[in-house]
């Protein structure tokens, strides 16, 4: 694959580390667990959107944009990183925040919300769940045009055929690192939200005939819906990258760890966040990686992941959101 054909900005100097999680593996009695530290990617406080923004912002600049417009939840990591990319490029940033949980926006909230302000976001528009998000972003595009400025709409989560190239590239990075380490991963476990991470990895592994099954742990949608979304997105990414389509049956989504809904806490999430911190010194987040890690732990305990499997957990970032969930996470129960 020739990813070099696509314009790209660089926000991280090199590959993110892959670390072995010895204490967690021992605590669970297997499997052989590793973590890809994408929480250490570049831009403010890292996380998976940095990889997507390398391709999306390059596209925005090629189109002469001076302002990035995007959408996310009230504690959106994607919005934080889009704002950070704008700072890095000398651009402006406008956000549309969706209250996926009614009444969840508080202007004085901590976590990512506090960082939107520090990163100099020019304008925040808050909308309710179910409102037309594209219409809200298009309104900003038009307002900018009226001022002689040029906006660029970054899709929610950066998950389109351009942004997802970041995770096609990440799959190639993982294969190279596995080769250097002498480790052939049997399985990859990753959070599945807007889907660009999950789908990009699928396209990248498939186009390298790498065969590692990828288990997506849903953070929002039921599996039937998420599977269809990921299948559609892999088709778009593969077409854009000019590589083979991913077989539909390779798309595996699990919804047992979503709990009552997107961003709403579960006991398993609290346990996973506390376990990763106490055993590995790694900060997860309450919305995505806490639930994805709960899925990893649950699949190991249930024996669905075999004791001798070498498993790579993708740490997609998000730790700033921890500070907006302190009461829930403090002194929670953990075995
Ligand atoms: C956005 C996000 C995800 C989900 O990635 P998608 O590509 O949207 O599926 C996972 N973890 C964190 C921390 C995120 O911010």
């Amino acid at each position: 694959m020739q990813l070099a054909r696509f314009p790209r900005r660089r926000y991280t100097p090199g590959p993110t580390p892959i670390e072995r999680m010895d204490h967690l593996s021992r605590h669970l009695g297997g499997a052989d667990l590793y973590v890809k530290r994408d929480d250490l990617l570049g831009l403010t406080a890292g996380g998976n959107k940095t990889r997507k923004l390398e391709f999306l912002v390059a596209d925005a600049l090629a189109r002469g944009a001076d302002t990035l417009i995007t959408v996310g939840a009230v504690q959106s990591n994607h919005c934080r990183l889009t704002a950070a990319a704008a700072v890095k490029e000398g651009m402006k940033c406008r956000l549309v925040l969706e209250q996926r949980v009614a009444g969840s926006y508080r202007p004085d909230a901590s976590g990512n919300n506090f960082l939107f302000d520090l990163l100099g976001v020019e304008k925040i528009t808050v909308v309710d769940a179910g409102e037309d998000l594209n219409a809200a972003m298009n309104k900003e595009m038009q307002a900018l045009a009226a001022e002689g400025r040029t906006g660029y709409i970054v899709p929610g989560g950066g998950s389109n055929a351009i942004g997802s190239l970041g995770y096609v590239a990440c799959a190639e990075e993982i294969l190279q690192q596995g080769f250097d380490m002498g480790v052939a991963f049997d399985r990859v476990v990753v959070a599945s939200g807007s889907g660009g991470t999950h789908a990009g990895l699928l396209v990248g592994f498939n186009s390298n005939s790498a065969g590692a099954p990828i288990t997506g742990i849903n953070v929002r949608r039921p599996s039937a819906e998420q599977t269809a979304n990921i299948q559609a997105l892999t088709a778009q990414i593969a077409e854009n990258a000019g590589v083979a389509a991913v077989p539909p049956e390779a798309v595996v989504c699990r919804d047992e760890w979503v709990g009552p809904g997107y961003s709403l806490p579960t006991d398993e999430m609290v346990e996973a966040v506390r376990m990763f911190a106490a055993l590995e010194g790694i900060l997860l987040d309450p919305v995505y990686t806490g639930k994805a890690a709960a899925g990893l732990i649950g699949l190991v305990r249930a024996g669905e992941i075999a004791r001798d499997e070498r498993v790579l957990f993708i740490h997609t970032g998000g730790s700033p959101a921890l500070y907006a969930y302190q009461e829930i996470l403090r002194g929670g129960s953990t075995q």
Side-chain angles (χ1 to χ4, degrees):
M1 186 180 349
Q2 280 274 30
L3 282 178
R5 291 193 284 122
F6 297 93
R8 179 187 187 186
R9 304 290 295 160
R10 291 305 302 257
Y11 299 135
T12 312
T16 57
I18 291 180
E19 296 170 10
R20 199 165 168 180
M21 297 193 283
D22 287 322
H23 298 290
L24 182 63
S25 300
R26 211 173 304 129
H27 181 82
L28 296 173
D32 197 3
L33 303 175
Y34 295 78
V35 57
K36 173 74 169 159
R37 297 293 307 271
D38 270 11
D39 57 319
L40 302 179
L41 284 164
L43 298 176
T44 310
N48 61 343
K49 306 312 180 305
T50 296
R51 288 192 192 269
K52 301 177 184 182
L53 287 161
E54 290 191 337
F55 290 93
L56 289 161
V57 176
D59 187 49
L61 291 169
R63 291 166 192 273
D66 51 51
T67 304
L68 299 175
I69 302 164
T70 199
V71 63
V74 296
Q75 277 293 336
S76 169
N77 301 302
H78 168 67
C79 287
R80 181 228 321 147
L81 286 166
T82 302
V87 169
K88 200 84 177 159
E89 302 289 359
M91 302 169 90
K92 300 266 188 239
C93 179
R94 294 188 173 194
L95 300 176
V96 173
L97 298 183
E98 184 195 13
Q99 299 196 85
R100 290 181 193 166
V101 176
S104 55
Y105 178 73
R106 284 195 293 114
D108 61 344
S110 179
N112 284 309
N113 180 73
F114 167 62
L115 299 180
F116 301 156
D117 178 48
L118 273 191
L119 292 167
V121 168
E122 187 181 39
K123 185 177 171 198
I124 292 177
T125 307
V126 180
V127 301
D128 288 328
E131 277 185 50
D132 187 341
L133 303 174
N134 288 326
M137 289 194 286
N138 282 326
K139 209 171 135 190
E140 294 306 321
M141 277 292 274
Q142 284 153 17
L144 289 171
E147 290 175 30
R149 293 166 57 182
T150 308
Y152 179 92
I153 293 181
V154 177
S159 287
N160 62 7
I162 297 172
S164 304
L165 292 174
Y167 272 87
V168 180
C170 181
E172 301 203 329
E173 184 175 304
I174 290 166
L175 292 171
Q176 181 64 46
Q177 283 175 299
F179 180 58
D180 292 342
M181 296 164 72
V183 178
F185 296 108
D186 299 304
R187 185 198 296 262
V188 173
V189 175
V190 64
S192 196
S194 66
T197 307
H198 185 185
L201 288 171
L202 278 165
V203 171
F205 278 101
N206 186 63
S207 69
N208 282 284
S209 307
I214 300 178
T215 305
I217 310 289
N218 302 358
V219 297
R220 185 174 185 189
R221 296 181 184 83
S223 279
E225 191 184 340
Q226 186 71 359
T227 303
N229 287 351
I230 301 291
Q231 285 168 340
L233 187 54
T234 57
Q236 291 165 24
I237 301 164
E239 196 193 335
N240 184 35
V243 298
V246 173
E249 65 275 13
V251 178
V252 176
C253 297
R254 303 287 298 252
D255 60 12
E256 298 100 306
W257 292 276
V258 175
Y262 175 81
S263 80
L264 298 173
T266 62
D267 290 345
E268 291 91 340
M269 176 280 286
V270 173
E271 184 197 21
V273 168
R274 295 187 59 85
M275 218 184 239
F276 268 64
L279 293 174
E280 298 293 340
I282 291 174
L283 297 180
L284 298 176
D285 83 281
V287 180
Y288 297 95
T289 55
K291 288 184 178 175
L296 171 75
I297 292 164
L299 291 170
V300 170
R301 282 181 176 153
E304 276 198 62
I305 292 180
R307 298 287 165 210
D308 59 353
E309 267 187 58
R310 282 151 302 183
V311 180
L312 182 65
F313 177 74
I314 313 291
H315 189 338
T316 45
S319 67
L322 285 173
Y323 306 101
Y325 283 74
Q326 286 180 52
E327 274 97 284
I328 288 150
L329 295 166
R330 192 180 282 125
S333 63
T334 178
Q335 287 90 46

